[in-house]
Amino acid sequence: MELSHLNTNTDSNRPQSPTVSVVIPTLNEERNLPHVFAKLPSLITEVIVVDGGSTDRTVEVARELRPDAVIVQQTRKGKGNALACGFAACTGDIIVMIDADGSTDPAEIPLFVDKLINGDHFVKGSRFSHGGHSHDITALRKLGNDGLNMVVNVLFRTHFTDLCYGYNAFWRNVVPALDLPDVTLPQPADGSKLWGDGFEIETMINIRAVAEKLKVGEVGSTEHERIFGESNLNTFRDGFRVLRTIFSEYGRMRGRRGAGIAPFVEGLKLPTANPVPAPPVVTPPPAVPRVLEPRGYEPAVNPPAPVVVAAHPVAANRHPADPRRDTGQLNRANRPHEVGTRRTDDINKLRKPAFDDLGMGPTRDLRALRARALDDIGSGPTQDISKLRSRASLDD
């Protein structure tokens, strides 16, 4: 599976104070530009004016009002081609597309930018939700817009409230997801428009944003009546062109999914305010196999190392014949290695004679005295009685 576009810019490196480019397609709008330019907010860092071959002073007025404005000549006919040429010329982080006839309010641009900074990839204006309104749409156009809106929401599982409104803003790095017609292609010889060069561009952009799984948001917008001039919209012609665009885009989306082309959003990372570095990978040591020993087996234990006691500094300098004991050696704290060995042996040697004297010796003496007493008391009188008896028998 491959991505539909190579995207080197990701959500994770979005600026918190982005630069903003505004694209304004024009065709004979010299009287409307002063009103539009006067409402551009201060956060706009780049103005791209795309001219479609105006015969009035549209280009001159744009340069007079905004000397730093970038003037681009579109390569083919149609609003779609004008927008594509303007997107290609933008250098800002965010691109906003508005109309030059005064119907879209440039003062609402900060609302779009704020939603983009808060995580959306693509934000579109809505005249029928979030507090939006229209001073220009007719009842017939409103009915057609609602029907087309319902078809898109069913086919693409979206929640659009205003499909055909052309007030949009998006991050410049998602322009490849829109896959607009190549601006370098020539105009067809018969004077027709390439698919995507006409008014269907607005519907195409909205549908491709959701087809590529971009996070799409909406903000309320107020549509005003055109200030000067006449609109080029045709209710039935443009309505059927939008319906054709919907089904064409649905088939395109199913074909790309069937071909294994992943949505564009899979090449983008989720925005993170404070990226957390990944923890280092710690490889555990290899497991040591357990060896079962036969019953009764005792592993060999190394004998403890002998304790070497340093000689007392005084005893080391004493004469060998000196009978005095080393008083330092009498301190048990200085001989921790002898507490359980030699001292215990000395106590046992002292204890043994004491038990013998108190228990064994006196017991033997008592037994000897008792035997003598019994002999004196028992054997002597017995002998006397025997003698008396023998004398009595003789006398008789």
Side-chain angles (χ1 to χ4, degrees):
M1 182 179 292
E2 62 179 6
L3 294 177
S4 58
H5 300 282
L6 177 63
N7 179 31
T8 58
N9 194 3
T10 61
D11 287 350
S12 59
N13 53 24
R14 287 179 178 177
Q16 291 301 308
S17 298
T19 55
V20 181
S21 299
V22 59
V23 177
I24 308 175
T26 60
L27 180 61
N28 298 325
E29 302 288 357
E30 65 170 322
R31 290 189 296 172
N32 293 325
L33 286 183
H35 301 276
V36 174
F37 276 45
K39 291 187 176 183
L40 289 175
S42 59
L43 60 81
I44 298 297
T45 56
E46 185 179 49
V47 177
I48 307 293
V49 177
V50 185
D51 187 60
S54 298
T55 57
D56 60 4
R57 297 183 65 253
T58 295
V59 175
E60 289 78 3
V61 171
R63 287 175 175 164
E64 292 172 1
L65 296 172
R66 188 107 181 190
D68 61 342
V70 179
I71 308 300
V72 177
Q73 295 293 331
Q74 66 180 92
T75 57
R76 295 185 299 271
K77 295 181 180 180
K79 184 177 181 179
N81 175 254
L83 289 173
C85 291
F87 298 162
C90 288
T91 61
D93 300 312
I94 291 176
I95 298 176
V96 183
M97 43 185 282
I98 63 175
D99 292 334
D101 57 5
S103 60
T104 55
D105 188 356
E108 298 171 349
I109 291 178
L111 301 176
F112 291 79
V113 173
D114 186 62
K115 280 193 68 67
L116 290 172
I117 292 176
N118 288 329
D120 288 344
H121 299 117
F122 186 100
V123 178
K124 67 182 310 300
S126 174
R127 297 167 291 180
F128 313 116
S129 181
H130 309 287
H133 183 68
S134 177
H135 297 284
D136 184 56
I137 195 169
T138 63
L140 181 61
R141 287 172 53 198
K142 177 65 167 61
L143 180 63
N145 186 76
D146 291 343
L148 297 173
N149 213 51
M150 182 182 65
V151 173
V152 170
N153 288 338
V154 170
L155 293 179
F156 296 91
R157 300 180 181 180
T158 57
H159 300 87
F160 284 138
T161 61
D162 192 359
L163 176 68
C164 300
Y165 192 41
Y167 199 170
N168 300 324
F170 43 87
W171 292 96
R172 183 164 58 93
N173 66 324
V174 304
V175 170
L178 307 180
D179 197 18
L180 302 179
D182 189 353
V183 296
T184 62
L185 294 176
Q187 179 76 32
D190 58 359
S192 61
K193 299 175 182 177
L194 296 179
W195 183 250
D197 278 356
F199 279 104
E200 71 276 2
I201 185 64
E202 296 167 353
T203 302
M204 178 187 294
I205 287 177
N206 295 334
I207 292 178
R208 290 188 179 181
V210 298
E212 296 297 336
K213 305 297 183 183
L214 299 180
K215 186 177 180 181
V216 178
E218 286 187 346
V219 296
S221 177
T222 299
E223 181 186 33
H224 300 277
E225 293 182 355
R226 184 181 181 91
I227 302 175
F228 295 103
E230 295 181 0
S231 175
N232 294 321
L233 291 175
N234 183 286
T235 302
F236 292 101
R237 181 195 63 194
D238 293 333
F240 283 113
R241 192 173 184 89
V242 169
L243 184 62
R244 177 188 171 192
T245 302
I246 293 172
F247 289 109
S248 175
E249 291 300 312
Y250 182 71
R252 175 182 179 273
M253 182 189 70
R254 291 179 59 88
R256 290 171 66 84
R257 298 296 178 268
I261 301 176
F264 181 85
V265 75
E266 294 189 10
L268 299 174
K269 297 179 181 179
L270 294 178
T272 54
N274 295 314
V276 179
V281 179
V282 179
T283 304
V288 179
R290 182 180 178 184
V291 179
L292 298 177
E293 303 291 350
R295 183 174 297 178
Y297 170 80
E298 295 183 0
V301 180
N302 296 329
V307 179
V308 179
V309 181
H312 194 274
V314 177
N317 299 325
R318 186 177 295 161
H319 194 275
D322 190 347
R324 293 177 298 173
R325 298 179 62 188
D326 185 6
T327 57
Q329 298 297 328
L330 297 178
N331 189 355
R332 181 176 298 179
N334 295 333
R335 303 185 298 167
H337 59 284
E338 297 180 355
V339 172
T341 56
R342 193 170 70 183
R343 298 282 302 174
T344 304
D345 296 340
D346 295 341
I347 293 173
N348 290 336
K349 289 179 181 180
L350 294 174
R351 187 179 293 170
K352 183 174 182 181
F355 285 145
D356 292 341
D357 294 341
L358 296 176
M360 301 301 296
T363 301
R364 288 195 297 267
D365 297 339
L366 290 175
R367 286 178 182 175
L369 293 174
R370 187 179 296 171
R372 292 175 185 175
L374 290 176
D375 289 342
D376 295 339
I377 297 173
S379 61
T382 301
Q383 292 175 359
D384 295 338
I385 293 173
S386 298
K387 289 180 180 180
L388 291 176
R389 284 180 182 175
S390 61
R391 290 177 182 177
S393 62
L394 292 175
D395 292 339
D396 295 339

